[in-house]
Amino acid sequence: MRKLMCFTGFACVSMLFIIAVSSWFFIHDLDVSSPNDVPIQSINLMDPQRNERSFRILLVGDTGGIPILETTWAQRGVKEMMTIVAEEKDIQMVLNMGDNIYFTGPTDEFDPRFESRFESVYDSPSLQVPWLTIAGNHDHFGNVTAEVEYTKRSRKWYFPSLYYKKTEEFNGTKIDFIMIDTISLCGNTKDIQNAGFIEMLRNESHDPRGPVNITAAEEQWSWLESNLEQSDAQYLIVSGHYPIHSISSHGPTECLRQRLDPLLKRFNVNAYFSGHDHSLQHFIFEGNSGHKINYVVSGAASRADASTKHIKEFSKDNLRFNYPEKSWISWSPVSQLGFRKGGFIYAEFRHDAALLDFFDKNGKQLYATVIPIRQIPSDTATKSTISPFIEI
């Protein structure tokens, strides 16, 4: 008990020290904006026919705030820019890529952090749309089932099951959003669950070593393959917390490279969206018969990591963009505690292609790309879209 109290005191003092040091860095190393960083202006162009021509979303990840401070400086800046873009573009949905409550996930569906880390943060009228949510590794440190249950208590939090399908249509064009739980498929980054903050800190960190429940993982793999095979959507989007490809601190997820990526290629998935690494990244890899698959990381909603630890694993042909740019120091408490950089992605699905705009917390457009409409495999186009598994 004496050792635990000592460790607890040490951890608390360490956290306060890090915050104090980070605050000093923040004051002396502010992210000074250039003239090109002027935030975009909301002009509130509400086109009554817009919904017939496109479907518009924001893509965010790792929104879960931080202990003591609740929300980060970067997160508040990102939220303000999300609000402006959401109002101007009249968005219809947000994809939320996991790590929703740092550092240990909720205790139950009544956990006050749902309010302090989500509801009271993303409270702008333009953000009151469905937030399609999945779990991250930090959510699984706590009671991840509570996040599913919280769907019943929130007007915008949408997390009906650990994995699910959501279909949207606009004037004959269909989008299938396949939301998966990569922690159940691949395992967590620490061998701990439903534990407190101190226990989480003491536990060894490692790459995912495999699912805890192999039977449940195989059921999800079967569900995923069935839904991909049966989809006749012009856009087929798979979203999970762990990235398949990443140049940043965590890097690629080998489990997903081995089992998920072949499915994406087999069924001509348009894109795989993820979070986990606190950055914005875009990769393009060849699929089947000339089809190209886009891999997008959006995990910078509350903090940003400039690490390029795994960049040598990728060619310039595959890696198209990454943010933040590499700094003189690969790890900084200023960045990790969310005092400086952050970002998100706006995606607009049209009848012929999807347009993706990458923004930082100042509203500066960092990068843009186009995702062509899907080439539906011939053996898939004739199949029924009715799935024997869960579909929301």
Side-chain angles (χ1 to χ4, degrees):
M1 177 65 71
R2 182 176 299 173
K3 291 183 178 180
L4 179 59
M5 290 175 64
C6 179
F7 184 86
T8 302
F10 174 76
C12 293
V13 171
S14 298
M15 176 64 74
L16 292 173
F17 175 76
I18 290 174
I19 292 174
V21 172
S22 301
S23 299
W24 185 91
F25 272 105
F26 172 63
I27 294 171
H28 291 81
D29 191 25
L30 287 173
D31 186 16
V32 180
S33 299
S34 71
N36 293 327
D37 294 333
V38 177
I40 61 174
Q41 299 298 314
S42 175
I43 54 179
N44 199 25
L45 294 177
M46 297 301 180
D47 181 352
Q49 295 183 324
R50 176 174 282 180
N51 292 350
E52 297 180 11
R53 293 196 292 266
S54 66
F55 188 81
R56 302 164 304 283
I57 70 171
L58 298 181
L59 176 61
V60 298
D62 302 74
T63 61
I66 194 168
I68 303 176
L69 300 178
E70 291 291 355
T71 59
T72 70
W73 182 279
Q75 185 174 11
R76 291 191 289 271
V78 169
K79 177 256 183 173
E80 291 303 319
M81 287 303 110
M82 288 173 61
T83 296
I84 292 173
V85 173
E87 181 180 354
E88 178 182 333
K89 303 296 186 179
D90 190 19
I91 68 156
Q92 297 153 284
M93 183 182 290
V94 177
L95 289 191
N96 189 17
M97 297 293 93
D99 277 0
N100 310 308
I101 296 181
Y102 282 109
F103 282 118
T104 56
T107 55
D108 55 36
E109 64 268 36
F110 305 102
D111 194 309
R113 288 177 293 173
F114 282 115
E115 175 64 30
S116 63
R117 308 284 180 85
F118 178 68
E119 301 288 357
S120 64
V121 180
Y122 305 103
D123 57 354
S124 307
S126 61
L127 297 178
Q128 305 311 301
V129 295
W131 284 57
L132 268 62
T133 299
I134 51 177
N137 53 304
H138 283 269
D139 303 305
H140 275 272
F141 291 155
N143 181 359
V144 70
T145 303
E147 296 197 10
V148 174
E149 290 299 313
Y150 186 69
T151 300
K152 302 173 185 177
R153 300 177 53 81
S154 175
R155 293 184 177 181
K156 60 177 180 288
W157 179 281
Y158 188 83
F159 193 2
S161 177
L162 283 180
Y163 53 95
Y164 57 97
K165 172 184 173 182
K166 186 77 165 66
T167 298
E168 298 290 344
E169 293 189 52
F170 60 98
N171 201 21
T173 296
K174 181 189 295 186
I175 313 169
D176 279 343
F177 293 101
I178 308 293
M179 314 293 287
I180 64 175
D181 186 65
T182 56
I183 290 76
S184 297
L185 294 176
C186 298
N188 210 328
T189 56
K190 295 188 179 187
D191 299 317
I192 192 167
Q193 192 168 4
N194 294 325
F197 178 58
I198 300 304
E199 289 79 8
M200 190 275 293
L201 286 179
R202 296 178 65 182
N203 203 265
E204 177 190 2
S205 181
H206 53 71
D207 291 334
R209 295 171 174 170
V212 173
N213 188 329
I214 297 176
T215 300
E218 291 303 319
E219 288 177 355
Q220 186 179 173
W221 283 119
S222 296
W223 172 89
L224 174 61
E225 181 173 359
S226 176
N227 277 273
L228 293 177
E229 182 179 26
Q230 295 180 31
S231 176
D232 63 353
Q234 286 81 5
Y235 293 103
L236 183 54
I237 307 296
V238 178
S239 300
H241 181 66
Y242 291 150
I244 295 177
H245 305 297
S246 173
I247 68 167
S248 197
S249 297
H250 296 110
T253 307
E254 192 59 31
C255 161
L256 300 181
R257 278 185 163 183
Q258 294 295 324
R259 291 201 65 172
L260 178 58
D261 207 32
L263 292 176
L264 304 186
K265 294 176 179 178
R266 178 182 169 189
F267 297 111
N268 286 0
V269 170
N270 297 84
Y272 177 70
F273 294 158
S274 65
H276 195 45
D277 268 323
H278 301 158
S279 56
L280 304 178
Q281 302 178 56
H282 178 222
F283 301 84
I284 296 180
F285 280 84
E286 290 285 343
N288 296 326
S289 303
H291 179 78
K292 290 180 171 56
I293 301 177
N294 293 263
Y295 303 81
V296 176
V297 178
S298 182
S302 66
R303 52 180 61 77
D305 179 9
S307 168
T308 56
K309 178 180 178 180
H310 296 271
I311 195 169
K312 292 183 179 179
E313 300 178 33
F314 300 95
S315 72
K316 293 182 179 179
D317 290 336
N318 298 130
L319 175 61
R320 302 301 177 92
F321 173 77
N322 68 282
Y323 164 87
E325 64 282 358
K326 185 175 176 58
S327 64
W328 64 276
I329 184 170
S330 61
W331 188 93
S332 165
V334 174
S335 295
Q336 292 295 331
L337 291 176
F339 280 114
R340 295 189 65 204
K341 299 178 182 293
F344 66 99
I345 297 171
Y346 167 72
E348 182 169 314
F349 296 88
R350 300 178 179 179
H351 295 295
D352 55 347
L355 313 178
L356 271 63
D357 291 322
F358 293 58
F359 292 102
D360 70 8
K361 70 179 181 66
N362 298 315
K364 178 182 178 181
Q365 185 183 38
L366 304 167
Y367 172 75
T369 191
V370 176
I371 297 179
I373 203 166
R374 180 185 178 215
Q375 303 171 26
I376 302 175
S378 58
D379 60 343
T380 299
T382 58
K383 291 181 179 292
S384 168
T385 59
I386 300 176
S387 171
F389 302 97
I390 182 172
E391 178 176 351
I392 306 299

